Amino acid sequence: MIQNDVNLQPFNTLAVPAKARFYAAVTDREQLPLLLAFARENNLPLLPLGGGSNVVLANDFPGLVLHMQLQGKTLVREDRSHYWLQVAAGENWHELVQYCLDARYWGLENLSLIPGSVGAAPIQNIGAYGVELKDVFAELEAVDVRTGECRVFDHGACRFGYRDSFFKREGRDRYLILSVTLRLARQPHVKVTYPALREALATVPVDQLTPRLVSDAVCRVRRSKLPDPAEVPNVGSFFKNPLVALDQFLSLQVQHPGMVSFPADARSVKLAAGWLIERAGWKGVRRGPVAVHHQQALVLTNAGHASGQEVLALAKEIHRSVADEYGVELEIEPRVYGQGEEIQ
Ligand code: FAD
Ligand code: NAP
C-alpha cells in the first residue's frame, strides 16, 4: 500500500518534478488508521494531495503523500427547497458540477471547470464568477491526523474567507478531509454579475437564463482565457487578489488612476492582482522555462522542464516588483511545500 520514492510530476498540474519519500493512494477510509500510524511512528510530515492543481512542490517531499481518491456521492437529506449531497473527497470537482446539473441540483454552475478534487474545495473556499464554495457548503467530515479521530465541521467551524479557511490557518496540516456535504437548491437562482459572464450571455434574454447556460458560458470564457494545465502546466492564479485598507486604496488611486478595484467590505477594497502585475510590466515575461502567461498575468506557466524553485524565483521577482511599485504585498495562492514557503 505504501510506495517509496514516487515521482509526483504527473500528480501536480504545474508538472514540476519532486519525489515523495512515501506515497499511498487512499481509495478506502479503512486504510487511514494504518497510514496515519505509520506517519506518526516515523515522525513523517503528511501531504494530502487531490488533483495537485493548487500546490507548488519546491523540493522532494520528505514525508508521506496521501493521494486522496475516495469516491462516492450520497443524497443524505432533502426538503422543499434544498438537497444535501455528501460527496467523497476524491471526486473530481468539475465532474461533480456536471453531475449536479444533470440531477437538477442547482448552485454550482459558476464554479464550473475549476480543476481539482472535492476534498480540496473547502481549503481555499474555491470561488469564481461571484460564487464561492461557502455559498453551497453545509458541512464536512475530517480526520484529525494527530489523534485519528473523525470530526464534523459545520459552516461556522470552517471560518471561510476570501480564498481562505480555517484549514489554511489554525487547522493547517492537522485535518484530512474525507467528505463534503453541499446544500443545493431545487429552484435555480442564476448569478451573472461578473462582466465577462454577462457579456458571454448578452444574447440570452434574462428570463431565459438557466444554470446549464451559465455553466456552458463559464466553461467557454475560461477556455478562451486560461491555459489548460494538461497542455500548458500551471496552477491557475499564482497570487491572491490583495485586500487593502480603504485609506491605502484612496492614496493608490490618486497615484494610479484607473487602478482596477472592487469593494470588499466597509473598511477594505479588493485590488486585481492581475492588473498590478500586468501594469508592473510582467505580462508575457519569460525566465527560462517559466513564463507569465501572455493573456493572464496572474498565471505562471511551466514550459515543461522547470523546477518548483525556478517558478518560485520568478514569483519572488514579481512580488518584489509589485511591492516596490505599489506598496502592496502579494500573497501566493497555492500552497508551497519546501523551500520558498516564506513568501506565502
Ligand atoms: P491540491 O492541489 O491537491 O491541494 C491543495 C491543498 O489542499 C494542499 O495543501 C493539499 O494538502 C490540500 N488538500 C487537498 N485535498 C485535501 C484533503 N482531502 N484533505 C485535506 N487537505 C487537502 N481556484 C479557485 O478557487 N477558483 C478558480 O476559479 C480556480 N481556477 C483554477 C484554474 C486553473 C487552470 C488551475 C490550474 C487552478 C485553479 N484554481 C482555482 C485552483 C485549484 O483548482 C483549487 O484550489 C482546487 O480546489 C485545488 O484542488 P486540488 O484537489 O487540485 O488540490
Ligand atoms: P476577470 O473576470 O477578468 O476579473 C479579474 C478580477 O477582477 C478577478 O480576479 C475578479 O476577482 C475581479 N472581479 C471581476 N468582476 C468582479 C465583480 N463584479 N465583483 C468583484 N470582483 C470582480 O477574471 P478571470 O481571471 O477571467 O477569472 C474569472 C473568475 O475565475 C474569477 O472569479 C477568478 O477568481 C476565477 N479564477 C480563479 C483562479 C484561481 O486559481 N484562483 C484561476 C482562474 C480563474 P475574484 O478573483 O475575486 O473573483
Side-chain angles (χ1 to χ4, degrees):
M1 168 161 82
I2 298 177
Q3 300 170 54
N4 292 58
D5 291 333
V6 171
N7 179 11
L8 298 175
Q9 195 166 23
F11 303 138
N12 72 95
T13 64
L14 198 51
V16 296
K19 265 192 285 185
R21 184 169 169 216
F22 298 104
Y23 168 97
V26 179
T27 54
D28 191 322
R29 288 179 184 214
E30 303 287 306
Q31 293 168 261
L32 287 173
L34 257 172
L35 289 169
L36 296 179
F38 175 78
R40 263 195 310 271
E41 281 155 21
N42 295 288
N43 217 6
L44 297 170
L46 285 173
L47 194 172
L49 191 65
S53 64
N54 217 23
V55 291
V56 180
L57 305 170
N59 300 98
D60 289 343
F61 186 70
L64 172 62
V65 169
L66 295 177
H67 203 173
M68 300 302 288
Q69 296 175 12
L70 301 170
Q71 300 290 304
K73 301 184 223 30
T74 314
L75 188 63
V76 287
R77 193 180 145 199
E78 60 185 283
D79 67 13
R80 287 169 57 162
S81 56
H82 288 90
Y83 299 103
W84 280 257
L85 186 69
Q86 185 181 51
V87 190
E91 291 276 350
N92 175 274
W93 178 264
H94 180 65
E95 284 168 18
L96 171 70
V97 175
Q98 296 308 308
Y99 171 90
C100 288
L101 287 169
D102 289 343
R104 305 177 65 79
Y105 302 160
W106 311 126
L108 301 185
E109 41 282 356
N110 294 47
L111 302 175
S112 298
L113 218 61
I114 298 181
S117 61
V118 167
I123 305 281
Q124 74 157 6
N125 177 28
I126 55 168
Y129 299 100
V131 173
E132 293 176 293
L133 178 81
K134 72 174 173 56
D135 302 329
V136 288
F137 177 90
E139 62 181 35
L140 62 78
E141 288 178 291
V143 169
D144 183 330
V145 299
R146 294 186 209 164
T147 63
E149 276 167 27
C150 193
R151 185 181 151 187
V152 174
F153 285 76
D154 64 11
H155 203 291
C158 292
R159 292 195 224 140
F160 292 121
Y162 178 62
R163 305 290 188 269
D164 193 33
S165 75
F166 168 80
F167 303 100
K168 274 197 145 184
R169 298 188 177 277
E170 305 90 322
R172 180 168 145 139
D173 292 331
R174 178 124 189 233
Y175 294 96
L176 196 58
I177 295 173
L178 302 179
S179 75
V180 178
T181 301
L182 302 172
R183 179 175 171 269
L184 299 160
R186 280 180 184 270
Q187 292 302 321
H189 301 281
V190 293
K191 185 166 183 187
V192 290
T193 48
Y194 265 44
L197 194 49
R198 238 190 349 252
E199 271 164 40
L201 290 163
T203 56
V204 183
V206 176
D207 60 353
Q208 286 174 33
L209 283 174
T210 63
R212 173 70 72 183
L213 286 173
V214 172
S215 170
D216 291 347
V218 167
C219 292
R220 261 196 326 275
V221 175
R222 292 183 73 108
R223 287 196 176 106
S224 72
K225 281 189 167 182
L226 286 168
D228 177 352
E231 288 160 16
V232 184
N234 73 86
V235 277
S237 305
F238 208 87
F239 297 99
K240 279 170 58 164
N241 286 331
L243 302 180
V244 297
L246 195 55
D247 51 354
Q248 185 185 1
F249 170 67
L250 293 174
S251 64
L252 276 169
Q253 210 182 23
V254 172
Q255 294 163 50
H256 308 280
M259 176 173 268
V260 176
S261 67
F262 303 91
D265 55 46
R267 283 174 307 165
S268 57
V269 173
K270 180 176 81 174
L271 303 181
W275 187 91
L276 297 173
I277 297 168
E278 185 176 340
R279 291 301 163 114
W282 288 99
K283 203 175 194 176
V285 170
R286 183 172 281 281
R287 293 273 185 273
V290 190
V292 181
H293 193 251
H294 59 93
Q295 264 178 303
Q296 170 52 282
L298 253 188
V299 176
L300 302 189
T301 59
N302 171 10
H305 47 277
S307 65
Q309 294 291 345
E310 284 173 296
V311 177
L312 289 168
L314 179 56
K316 276 184 189 162
E317 276 193 71
I318 295 170
H319 177 267
R320 204 175 312 124
S321 145
V322 169
D324 290 349
E325 185 80 16
Y326 301 101
V328 174
E329 299 280 340
L330 291 180
E331 195 184 331
I332 292 184
E333 185 180 285
R335 172 77 188 269
V336 177
Y337 288 92
Q339 214 180 334
E341 278 182 79
E342 62 280 359
I343 65 163
Q344 262 190 315

